[in-house]
């Protein structure tokens, strides 16, 4: 029987702190607030901001919005849905003219994920990208890798040797 | 007339498009459910790479061809992928041996490309290299499992390496377009020794004797392909060609 670990301590990365300051001091911070309603299509409750996908927003003199997003994995099929959801959300707040820029550089990293995002992942049964893999259900560290790639490219598949559940692990990138 | 930069970018796009299409052939045919999912996820990452290169090619193209035009409306003589990518998937050992060769190569290639003077290419490379690391961990693991598994798995792995051996040279062959793009394109010849060392190291650990007879096949970048590419493209492009502009 595996000894239980100390559960999961959700960490706040320096990269996330920098993002948070950027957002708080941003001229168009209200746009960030509106976009908090746009969630990752595959992880319930985790917003595009939490995930580090939402990078920047601006409105020009003509009222045209520009939203900069950074894709997670290069082949991620959720990217198109995210773009549609961003447009639908801003449209609801009266911004019908929205331009979305997909930025590849700097490359997306799991260090940008917010502590809230990590916490929500764990609550949805996904081990968040901490460097130790801990079962999100029983907090055991006695886990075994089943496959490097799980239900999506960003996750791998693990099995807990304590509670025998299989679970996804959001890989650090 | 395509510029050297466009030719270069299209070559990289074609490599990844063709490899991704091959890997998707495993969808629903993988040896286990987990491996089925893993292979198709790798295929998706590689398709993502192809798309980034095609999108950049589209920006560079004077004829304003779209990413779909490049992928779906060019024939095999216009495809310039290196031959190793187009070979049929064979058995699981063949697929994993090819991934091993290519994942080792991608790590070296993308880390060099991330220093390119071309910012878009450097950005794409920085994105690819992190994903490629996970691919390499997985393919190296599989080489170990196949080599140390059963007599049958070892026999199949050795046969796969034998069959792939002569295709490796093309990975390190500099094209005319590349030689005109100093500081932008990666100098492939520089990667050869490190790649060979990495292949030798794992092989030695697993008592794999690499083939002693060498041979050389080349021509992909000039559009001279094996008989395997045409049928693959026919299947891949069927829908786009029968129903141009189809959407769902």
């Amino acid at each position: 029987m595996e000894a239980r670990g100390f559960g999961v301590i959700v960490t706040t990365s320096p990269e996330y702190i920098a993002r948070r300051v950027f957002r708080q001091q941003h001229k168009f911070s209200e746009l960030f607030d509106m976009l908090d309603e746009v969630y990752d299509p595959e992880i319930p409750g985790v917003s595009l901001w939490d995930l580090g996908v939402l990078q920047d927003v601006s409105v020009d003199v003509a009222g045209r919005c520009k939203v900069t997003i950074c894709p997670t994995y290069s082949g991620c099929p959720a990217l198109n849905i995210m773009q549609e959801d961003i447009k639908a959300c801003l449209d609801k707040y009266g911004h019908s003219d929205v331009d979305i820029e997909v930025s590849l550089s700097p490359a997306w990293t799991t260090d940008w994920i917010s502590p809230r995002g990590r916490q929500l992942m764990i609550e949805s049964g996904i081990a968040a990208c901490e460097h130790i893999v801990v079962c999100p259900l029983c907090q055991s560290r006695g886990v075994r890798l089943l496959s490097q790639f799980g239900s999506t490219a960003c996750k791998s598949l693990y099995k807990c040797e304590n509670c025998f559940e299989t679970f996804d692990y959001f890989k650090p990138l | 007339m395509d510029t050297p930069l466009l030719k270069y970018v299209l070559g990289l796009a074609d490599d990844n498009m063709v490899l991704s299409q091959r890997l998707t052939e495993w969808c629903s045919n993988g040896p286990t459910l987990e491996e089925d999912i893993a292979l198709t996820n790798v295929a998706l990452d590689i398709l993502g790479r192809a798309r980034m290169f095609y999108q950049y090619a589209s920006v560079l193209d004077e004829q304003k061809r779209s990413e779909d035009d490049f992928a779906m409306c060019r024939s095999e003589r216009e495809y310039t992928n290196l031959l190793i990518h187009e070979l049929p998937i064979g058995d699981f050992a063949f697929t994993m041996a090819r991934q091993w060769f290519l994942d080792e190569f991608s790590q070296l290639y993308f880390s060099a490309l991330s220093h390119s003077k071309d910012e878009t290419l450097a950005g794409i490379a920085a994105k690819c290299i992190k994903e490629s690391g996970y691919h390499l961990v997985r393919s190296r693991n599989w080489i170990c499992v196949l080599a140390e598994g059963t007599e049958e798995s070892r026999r199949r792995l050795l046969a796969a390496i034998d069959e792939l051996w002569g295709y490796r040279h093309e990975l390190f062959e500099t094209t005319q377009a590349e030689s005109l793009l100093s500081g932008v394109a990666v100098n492939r010849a520089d990667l050869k020794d490190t790649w060979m060392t990495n292949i030798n190291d794992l092989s030695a650990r697993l008592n794999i004797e690499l083939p002693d007879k060498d041979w050389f096949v080349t021509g992909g970048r000039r559009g001279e392909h094996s008989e395997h590419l045409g049928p693959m493209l026919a299947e891949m492009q069927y829908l786009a060609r029968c129903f141009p502009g189809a959407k769902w």
Side-chain angles (χ1 to χ4, degrees):
Chain A
M1 191 75 176
E2 280 289 335
R4 287 206 175 187
F6 297 100
V8 186
I9 300 158
V10 173
T11 50
T12 305
S13 64
E15 291 82 358
Y16 177 71
I17 294 171
R19 287 185 70 226
R20 195 173 56 194
V21 171
F22 173 77
R23 172 174 169 164
Q24 280 165 350
Q25 297 175 349
H26 202 284
K27 190 177 165 193
F28 300 105
S29 64
E30 78 279 5
L31 256 79
F32 279 110
D33 299 342
M34 292 170 196
L35 288 169
D36 277 340
E37 290 173 24
V38 184
Y39 301 120
D40 177 279
E42 284 172 345
I43 315 170
V46 177
S47 71
L48 298 191
W49 166 261
D50 287 323
L51 202 60
V53 166
L54 179 59
Q55 289 291 308
D56 202 359
V57 290
S58 65
V59 186
D60 67 14
V61 280
R64 189 179 175 82
C65 287
K66 187 175 158 192
V67 179
T68 307
I69 58 173
C70 192
T72 55
Y73 277 68
S74 40
C76 183
L79 193 65
N80 291 343
I81 301 167
M82 291 175 182
Q83 297 186 26
E84 285 168 24
D85 290 352
I86 288 171
K87 286 188 176 167
C89 170
L90 290 177
D91 190 55
K92 206 173 69 179
Y93 287 102
H95 295 285
S96 54
D97 201 1
V98 177
D99 190 27
I100 298 177
E101 187 192 46
V102 178
S103 153
L104 296 178
S105 185
W108 179 82
T109 159
T110 41
D111 292 334
W112 291 345
I113 298 178
S114 72
R116 181 180 172 275
R118 287 165 198 252
Q119 191 60 47
L120 283 165
M121 280 182 198
I122 294 164
E123 285 166 21
S124 331
I126 301 166
C129 37
E130 303 292 334
H131 286 274
I132 300 165
V133 186
V134 178
C135 172
L137 299 159
C138 74
Q139 283 82 50
S140 166
R141 292 187 187 191
V143 297
R144 180 164 62 89
L145 177 70
L146 290 182
S147 176
Q148 192 71 251
F149 296 87
S151 57
T152 59
C154 51
K155 300 180 212 125
S156 42
L157 192 63
Y158 274 81
K159 181 173 183 172
C160 176
E161 304 281 17
N162 182 55
C163 72
F164 305 116
E165 274 296 332
T166 53
F167 64 91
D168 273 334
Y169 168 60
F170 207 101
K171 292 178 281 195
L173 191 73
Chain B
M1 190 61 194
D2 294 351
T3 61
L5 182 59
L6 179 57
K7 278 188 189 161
Y8 177 55
V9 174
L10 274 178
L12 297 178
D14 290 345
D15 286 346
N16 287 293
M17 185 72 225
V18 168
L19 180 64
S20 168
Q21 177 69 15
R22 280 297 183 214
L23 286 173
T24 57
E25 290 175 25
W26 279 103
C27 186
S28 81
N29 295 311
T32 64
L33 184 60
E34 289 78 9
E35 280 314 310
D36 197 293
I37 294 168
L39 278 166
T40 40
N41 268 311
V42 173
L44 193 61
D45 280 347
I46 294 173
L47 178 66
R49 278 186 210 167
R51 289 195 59 188
M52 292 190 284
F53 286 123
Y54 281 135
Q55 284 164 6
Y56 186 38
S58 179
V59 173
L60 297 170
D61 186 33
E62 278 183 7
Q63 300 172 53
K64 294 287 158 235
R65 282 169 289 181
S66 70
E67 105 186 76
D68 281 349
D69 293 338
F70 285 127
M72 297 302 169
C73 300
R74 287 183 309 142
S75 68
E76 76 246 50
R77 291 305 300 267
E78 293 166 287
Y79 258 75
T80 56
N81 60 283
L82 301 177
L83 301 171
I84 189 169
H85 301 94
E86 73 198 43
L87 300 174
I89 54 174
D91 57 15
F92 186 70
F94 184 85
T95 289
M96 290 323 296
R98 166 166 57 189
Q99 286 310 114
W100 176 41
F101 279 13
L102 292 176
D103 293 341
E104 295 278 5
F105 179 78
S106 291
Q107 278 293 297
L108 303 175
Y109 194 85
F110 288 125
S111 56
L113 188 64
S114 69
H115 299 292
S116 170
K117 282 195 295 197
D118 184 299
E119 280 178 20
T120 308
L121 289 177
I124 295 173
K127 190 136 191 67
C128 294
I129 191 165
K130 296 205 280 181
E131 296 167 9
S132 175
Y134 281 109
H135 301 168
L136 179 60
V137 169
R138 178 169 171 278
S139 53
R140 276 189 189 161
N141 272 341
W142 267 111
I143 297 305
C144 298
V145 170
L146 293 168
E148 296 178 328
T150 62
E151 257 178 53
E152 178 71 2
S153 71
R154 191 176 174 86
R155 184 187 65 74
R156 286 182 184 236
L157 175 64
L158 296 180
I161 291 172
D162 211 34
E163 207 174 317
L164 285 162
W165 199 235
Y167 288 96
R168 77 190 191 287
H169 296 291
E170 214 185 18
L171 295 170
F172 307 103
E173 206 181 52
T174 305
T175 62
Q176 208 191 353
E178 283 166 350
S179 61
L180 294 171
L181 293 167
S182 172
V184 170
V186 173
N187 185 12
R188 294 170 169 268
D190 291 347
L191 311 177
K192 189 167 189 170
D193 288 348
T194 316
W195 183 86
M196 206 54 241
T197 306
N198 293 348
I199 297 292
N200 277 330
D201 284 354
L202 186 59
S203 301
R205 235 176 67 205
L206 298 168
N207 291 320
I208 293 173
E209 270 188 47
L210 294 169
D212 50 2
K213 283 208 186 86
D214 207 358
W215 44 283
F216 197 116
V217 191
T218 181
R221 283 285 189 259
R222 296 190 299 273
E224 292 160 11
H225 293 281
S226 67
E227 70 270 32
H228 306 298
L229 184 65
M232 193 206 89
L233 290 181
E235 188 183 338
M236 183 179 97
Q237 297 177 336
Y238 175 84
L239 193 118
R241 295 219 187 208
C242 288
F243 304 97
K247 287 204 185 321
W248 71 73

